[in-house]
Amino acid sequence: YINQNLASVRAISKAPLAKMAMNTIVSLDPGYYHGSAHMVLMIYHASRSPETGGDPELALSHYRNLKTLAGDAFLPADLFYARYYLRQKQERALLEDIMTRIAEPGEIAGEPRLLNKVSVLRAKIYLEAIDELF
């Protein structure tokens, strides 16, 4: 909701609440739903500049935790790592490599299948819009 409504002060004002909730989930059950709380925190810290509360190193730490918990078959982890962290770091070549790998996965066998299928479709969209991202 917050990320889709960045022009709304009301939506943005809810970001600290979402961050607190995700930190609570990480402390109680870090593996809950494929470690998705780590994914939200990775996006939170990677999509913001340090001046507005972002922390690239903390985002990278959450990505590593997410990969450990969810494994390589969970495509949203790499999709959002590339979309937010690598874009913030201006690593276009690596972003393109990861998006290309996600966009051409062959048979989608990993769990959860729906999120993986959506990740494939989004990776294709991001590849088409790569010049707008950089």
Side-chain angles (χ1 to χ4, degrees), residues 50-123:
E51 296 79 25
T52 60
D55 184 340
E57 294 309 311
L58 190 53
L60 185 58
S61 175
H62 282 293
Y63 171 70
R64 289 178 178 146
N65 289 332
L66 177 59
K67 290 295 282 185
T68 299
L69 292 165
D72 291 332
F74 186 64
L75 298 180
D78 290 330
L79 177 82
F80 291 119
Y81 165 73
R83 169 64 178 87
Y84 292 99
Y85 180 81
L86 294 177
R87 181 174 183 250
Q88 184 79 285
K89 291 291 200 174
Q90 292 294 296
E91 303 236 7
R92 181 180 177 143
L94 185 54
L95 184 145
E96 285 185 81
D97 288 346
I98 290 173
M99 291 295 181
T100 299
R101 180 179 48 81
I102 294 169
E104 300 169 1
E107 182 180 338
I108 299 172
E111 290 295 327
R113 289 184 65 137
L114 178 60
L115 288 178
N116 283 345
K117 180 65 176 170
V118 170
S119 295
V120 169
L121 298 174
R122 288 189 79 166

